[in-house]
Amino acid sequence: MRIQVLEHIIEQRFESFLEPRLEHWFRRYLESSSGEAIISTILADVIVSWMRPGTGEDNYLETIVLDLVGRLKDNPGFRERILATMSNKTAD
């Protein structure tokens, strides 16, 4: 019985120590370039999977991409990244 109480106390202290730090570490990671890359990859996969069934000429995914490109067309860095991405050959 005393061991269970002691385990519970240690568990609570460990959680109170670790929980706020984990949130800070996670936020810091998501704000890093690696975190941004993971988020963008996940979002791209989700959007493509979500939009794949629509095989029509005009689908939501193309409309969204064209809208984003239109909004960011005056950003030279964005244009360079778009061109670099489009010029990369993939093994699809």
Side-chain angles (χ1 to χ4, degrees):
M1 183 77 166
R2 291 183 146 238
I3 291 176
Q4 289 176 342
V5 171
L6 184 59
E7 285 178 352
H8 183 69
I9 291 170
I10 291 171
E11 180 182 331
Q12 284 182 332
R13 287 194 178 174
F14 183 68
E15 283 180 8
S16 67
F17 170 81
L18 192 58
E19 197 171 294
R21 286 165 179 79
L22 280 175
E23 184 176 343
H24 174 72
W25 295 332
F26 185 66
R27 285 179 185 263
R28 192 171 61 193
Y29 176 74
L30 290 180
E31 292 172 354
S32 72
S33 58
S34 298
E36 286 181 8
I38 286 176
I39 290 171
S40 66
T41 301
I42 290 170
L43 286 175
D45 288 345
V46 167
I47 290 172
V48 168
S49 295
W50 181 50
M51 294 299 164
R52 188 166 283 151
T55 59
E57 194 66 30
D58 293 330
N59 62 30
Y60 291 118
L61 179 60
E62 288 180 11
T63 304
I64 290 168
V65 170
L66 291 173
D67 185 43
L68 287 171
V69 169
R71 290 180 186 194
L72 296 171
K73 69 182 178 184
D74 295 329
N75 181 340
F78 175 72
R79 283 198 310 268
E80 291 170 8
R81 289 191 304 271
I82 288 283
L83 291 174
T85 300
M86 292 177 68
S87 65
N88 285 340
K89 297 190 180 200
T90 60
D92 287 341

